[in-house]
Amino acid sequence: MTRDDRPAGGVAAAPWGLAALALAVAALWGIWGHDFIRYDWDWLIAAADILRDPWWLLRPRLEPFDYLHVRPLLDLTFAVPQAVWGLQPAPHYLIQMAMHLLNTWLVGRLARAWLGSAGAGVMAASLFAVWWPGREA
């Protein structure tokens, strides 16, 4: 174990990092077994437009929010499953869960690199995992 693997208390960060990822799964666990919710339908409508015309990915738009945005990766996370599985919620939610886990891990790595502490990385990942707006980022 290298010095970078240990937070200030000397405990290995790996178990705590896994705990942060478990928090990410727990934060989204409630979506399983449910149909799409309101904002999902806005993204699904956008996905249908993308499937008809891929250049739509790069067009700034207001929906489903009240400010202009271009989110091609998020759009693709709705367009690809819709093209493959149709309007089945489970594949969409599985991809959203995978993206949330990846982002949680990346936030932890970024915080660790910036702050130089494995403990700070775990704390940042844990906060991102359960913070509701973090799931919408």
Side-chain angles (χ1 to χ4, degrees):
M1 179 180 309
T2 66
R3 186 178 69 100
D4 291 334
D5 291 335
R6 286 178 272 142
V11 178
W16 296 107
L18 291 174
L21 293 178
L23 283 172
V25 170
L28 292 178
W29 192 256
I31 64 175
W32 295 107
H34 295 283
D35 201 359
F36 295 113
I37 59 172
R38 184 196 177 285
Y39 285 120
D40 291 338
W41 287 108
D42 293 333
W43 291 110
L44 290 167
I45 291 167
D49 290 334
I50 292 164
L51 293 173
R52 281 193 301 274
D53 179 13
W55 286 106
W56 205 86
L57 267 174
L58 303 176
R59 191 189 95 193
R61 61 189 185 280
L62 293 173
E63 313 85 27
F65 307 105
D66 292 330
Y67 56 87
L68 281 175
H69 67 277
V70 177
R71 294 183 174 179
L73 181 60
L74 181 59
D75 288 332
L76 285 174
T77 65
F78 279 91
V80 171
Q82 186 171 340
V84 176
W85 294 288
L87 293 176
Q88 299 296 321
H92 287 275
Y93 290 145
L94 184 63
I95 288 173
Q96 296 301 317
M97 176 74 76
M99 293 297 294
H100 187 59
L101 286 170
L102 174 65
N103 288 333
T104 299
W105 180 76
L106 289 172
V107 164
R109 297 296 296 180
L110 185 64
R112 180 178 175 175
W114 280 355
L115 302 173
S117 165
V122 168
M123 180 61 74
S126 298
L127 290 173
F128 180 84
V130 298
W131 187 44
W132 186 82
R135 289 184 278 160
E136 298 292 325

